[in-house]
């Protein structure tokens, strides 16, 4: 996609610090890192988000994610790291070409999701499980309620 920043990095039209690439995916350093070494793994074929990704493409992305995570852990001597993906603007996605973040973590680095955890009562937990299970019989749908670019 011509106006996609990650497609343009893959096509070498925009510079990036490329860590690794193969036929399936490319890994680059994030330009605005949570911690130095924060990296992205991006499938070569453009797709908007996780729901548009094929299982084959996801397998390739995960293989690269594991290899790059291992290199980051060893090179920075880490005790831990996060891998995550934002899907949909409401979930924090800002580049609409699927990607996985790999972020180094450090003791007392003060990075936290501030969460107010809910509790289910017995009927609610069954209700939510049934709602989700009903849709598992259907094929994966790339449509989300939010209109994302
Ligand atoms: P998200 O907000 O989950 O869609 O993540 C997009 C990420 O891409 C952000 O962390 C940005 O800092 C990063 N990013 C955007 N443009 C570039 C670029 N040209 N090179 C490297 N990283 C980028
Ligand atoms: Zn793209």
């Amino acid at each position: 996609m011509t106006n996609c920043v990650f497609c343009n990095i893959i096509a070498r039209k925009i510079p990036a610090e490329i860590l690794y690439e193969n036929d399936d995916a490319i890994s680059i350093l994030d330009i605005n890192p949570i911690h130095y070494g924060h990296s992205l793994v991006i499938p070569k074929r453009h797709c908007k988000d996780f729901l548009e990704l094929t299982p084959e493409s996801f397998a390739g992305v995960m293989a690269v994610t594991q290899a790059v995570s291992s290199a980051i852990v060893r090179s920075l001597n880490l005790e831990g790291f996060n891998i995550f993906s934002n899907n949909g603007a409401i979930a924090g996605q800002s580049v609409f070409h699927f990607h996985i973040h790999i972020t180094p973590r450090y003791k007392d680095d003060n990075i936290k999701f501030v969460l107010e955890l809910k509790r289910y009562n017995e009927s609610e937990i069954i209700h939510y499980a049934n709602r989700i299970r009903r849709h598992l019989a259907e094929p994966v749908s790339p449509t989300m309620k939010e209109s994302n670019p």
Side-chain angles (χ1 to χ4, degrees), residues 45-61:
R45 185 190 297 218
H46 180 93
C47 64
K48 188 177 65 174
D49 59 30
F50 183 62
L51 293 179
E52 276 193 6
L53 198 63
T54 64
E56 296 73 27
S57 186
F58 185 61
V61 167

Side-chain angles (χ1 to χ4, degrees), residues 48-49 87-93 96 142-149:
K48 188 177 65 174
D49 59 30
N87 290 274
I90 202 169
Q93 186 175 8
F96 289 85
T143 316
M144 281 198 272
K145 188 177 158 216
E146 279 293 309
S147 65
N148 295 301

Side-chain angles (χ1 to χ4, degrees), residues 98-123:
F98 176 77
H99 51 282
I100 295 200
H101 295 258
I102 307 169
T103 58
R105 294 301 306 271
Y106 298 97
K107 191 169 185 298
D108 301 326
D109 65 9
N110 215 24
I111 295 170
K112 42 175 100 78
F113 290 102
V114 179
L115 301 174
E116 270 184 47
L117 299 181
K118 301 182 195 318
R119 282 182 182 277
Y120 292 110
N121 66 34
E122 205 180 318
S123 63

